[in-house]
Amino acid sequence: MSGGATGARPDGGMQGVAILGSTGSIGTTALRVLDRQRARFRVVALTAHENAALLAEQEDAWAPAYVGLVAGGGARPGWDRGAGALVRAATRDDVDVVINAIVGAAGLDATLAALESGKRVALANKETLVVAGELAAAAAARGGGEIVPVDSEHSAILQCMGDHDPSEVQRLIITASGGPFRTWDAARLATATRADALNHPTWSMGRKISIDSATLANKALEVIEAHFLFGLPYDRIEVVVHPQSVVHSMVEFVDGSVVAQLGVPSMELPVLYALTHPERVADSGVPRFDPVQASPLTFEPVRHDAFPALGHGIAAGRAGGAAPAVFNAANEQAVALFLEGRMTFGDIATRIGEALDAHGAMPGHDRASLLAADAAARAFVRERA
Ligand code: NAD
Ligand code: MG
């Protein structure tokens, strides 16, 4: 999704990077990646939600021009405060690339503002595109910004796509690890605890996306994300379970050729590629791929009956309007309640389906209507906890 900018500085100098959510799983991965790329990139802004202690350590290590802490105590003098810090960090003149590693719809305004300001957005915060894919495209077109995905599946698709036009693509095949409950039957799933759900087999991630990976709501978010990033209709986007997480996704072209991208399960490469795309740089630090060690690679169909959140999300994507925002908000609220021990694992998908029935047809033509749908869905799920 591009408004035409390349993200490169006209003077060819170092690029300034802002990290939104620098204390999280993707944020700390990004700093590890940037540590090896100091000749090309300069960290100029860091923001976090609450973790002031880690943010202070990061400030000491990186000496950014700007630090923002959205909430919580422990801020140093000189730090920016409040939710507006995200947009202020994302639109600074010395920032070329915004790594949006916030979790949830809270990252929306910063993504839109960065695109309006002509920045490259290295987007981990997939919820942004799910809530407001059309607004993001319009903001990019107006401001000249572009989105480059950090999500490993979408990074894979971007790499497989090369310079091909979407009209040459038959299908996107998005791989899913299947999560910790891939082989659990319905009776066992009904007993799944928080600890079970947080125990992902192949990826170490933040808590919210770990739960999303257990319900497969994450894959629904990714299907919608792919629809907006690559401009393909939903009947040409498929999901296949691939437990080893080595094939990160595939693109089938109209002539029947299938191109896949492979690698060890590490977010370092997709983060780096989002910074350097379309270029590739040496010294990525990513462990080298050994096909013999990675074998066997296996593929299975999705068990839609066991993981209804995936179907709800794809239906929401097809419905369009505010439905994807309702799906996302209901999921965010249900996951928060599950993590607080106030909802069972099975309730997450049930409440999402009910919220879509109640509010999925709300209007979704602008930011205000999408935020109203988001709020209605959250309230609906909270009232049923
Ligand atoms: P995380 O919970 O580990 O980190 C989230 C970061 O965002 C933290 O720095 C936190 O302080 C900040 N944050 C949270 N809520 C905020 C708010 N309301 N305002 C401002 N800052 C806020 O999450 P994560 O696993 O790093 O995931 C971040 C995003 O990347 C999510 O959208 C997730 O789906 C996506 N993603 C993550 C992975 C992964 O491997 N972790 C892979 C692909 C995509
Ligand atoms: Mg992913």
Side-chain angles (χ1 to χ4, degrees), residues 108 131-133 135 321-323 325-326 363-375:
L108 176 63
V131 172
L135 298 189
V326 168
H365 49 280
D366 59 10
R367 179 180 170 281
S369 57
L370 291 168
L371 292 183
D374 173 293

Side-chain angles (χ1 to χ4, degrees), residues 2-384:
S2 170
T6 64
R9 283 188 94 83
D11 61 6
M14 297 234 293
Q15 294 194 48
V17 178
I19 306 179
L20 312 182
S22 64
T23 57
S25 168
I26 292 290
T28 52
T29 299
L31 285 172
R32 258 193 335 273
V33 166
L34 287 162
D35 198 27
R36 285 188 293 268
Q37 306 296 335
R38 287 180 187 258
R40 299 172 63 98
F41 298 100
R42 190 163 46 97
V43 174
V44 297
L46 296 174
T47 80
H49 190 232
E50 283 185 327
N51 193 342
L54 179 54
L55 192 59
E57 271 178 40
Q58 293 178 341
E59 181 181 37
D60 292 341
W62 289 89
Y66 172 100
V67 180
L69 182 68
V70 170
R76 286 177 170 172
W79 285 6
D80 196 7
R81 298 304 316 264
L86 300 175
V87 169
R88 289 190 286 277
T91 54
R92 289 173 60 88
D93 285 344
D94 54 1
V95 167
D96 301 285
V97 185
V98 176
I99 300 177
N100 187 343
I102 300 294
V103 60
L108 176 63
D109 286 346
T111 296
L112 296 179
L115 293 171
E116 290 268 7
S117 313
K119 314 294 189 196
R120 168 175 290 198
V121 178
L123 187 73
N125 179 219
K126 64 191 91 183
E127 294 92 342
T128 283
L129 270 188
V130 171
V131 172
E134 274 136 21
L135 298 189
R142 273 194 307 271
E146 65 173 350
I147 293 182
V148 185
V150 166
D151 221 348
S152 57
E153 296 78 1
H154 305 74
S155 177
I157 291 168
L158 180 67
Q159 294 176 60
C160 295
M161 211 64 121
D163 290 330
H164 291 281
D165 191 80
S167 65
E168 292 176 273
V169 174
Q170 184 66 36
R171 265 189 314 163
L172 306 181
I173 304 171
I174 299 180
T175 53
S177 70
F181 304 140
R182 179 175 63 88
T183 60
W184 289 33
D185 61 25
R188 194 167 171 215
L189 264 180
T191 69
T193 66
R194 197 166 35 170
D196 294 330
L198 286 169
N199 185 23
H200 197 277
T202 51
W203 297 99
S204 160
M205 308 179 287
R207 284 155 62 89
K208 192 260 180 181
I209 185 177
S210 295
I211 303 304
D212 289 353
S213 301
T215 60
L216 298 200
N218 182 53
K219 238 9 90 169
L221 297 172
E222 293 186 353
V223 167
I224 300 170
E225 181 186 10
H227 165 78
F228 284 118
L229 281 173
F230 302 108
L232 285 169
Y234 286 96
D235 56 10
R236 289 205 268 147
I237 307 175
E238 286 176 21
V239 177
V240 67
V241 173
H242 167 50
Q244 297 83 19
S245 302
V246 166
V247 175
H248 296 312
S249 278
M250 308 176 230
V251 175
E252 181 188 42
F253 291 95
V254 286
D255 60 2
S257 177
V258 179
V259 179
Q261 190 261 341
L262 284 71
V264 295
S266 157
M267 287 308 293
E268 295 195 10
L269 188 65
V271 167
L272 176 63
Y273 190 71
L275 295 171
T276 65
H277 165 80
E279 286 173 41
R280 296 191 180 274
V281 295
D283 191 24
S284 69
V286 171
R288 293 285 145 171
F289 178 62
D290 176 345
V292 174
Q293 213 181 2
S295 67
L297 300 180
T298 60
F299 300 90
E300 306 165 7
V302 175
R303 292 163 56 215
H304 280 281
D305 51 337
F307 301 104
L310 175 58
H312 290 324
I314 294 173
R318 287 179 186 274
V326 168
F327 169 75
N328 176 70
N331 179 56
E332 281 190 35
Q333 185 62 74
V335 169
L337 291 165
F338 173 71
L339 286 171
E340 289 167 24
R342 294 169 56 198
M343 206 173 251
T344 68
F345 183 75
D347 285 343
I348 299 175
T350 305
R351 294 296 168 266
I352 292 171
E354 292 167 355
L356 279 168
D357 288 344
H359 297 295
M362 285 178 72
H365 49 280
D366 59 10
R367 179 180 170 281
S369 57
L370 291 168
L371 292 183
D374 173 293
R378 283 176 206 261
F380 179 93
V381 173
R382 265 198 312 273
E383 283 156 16
R384 282 154 187 81

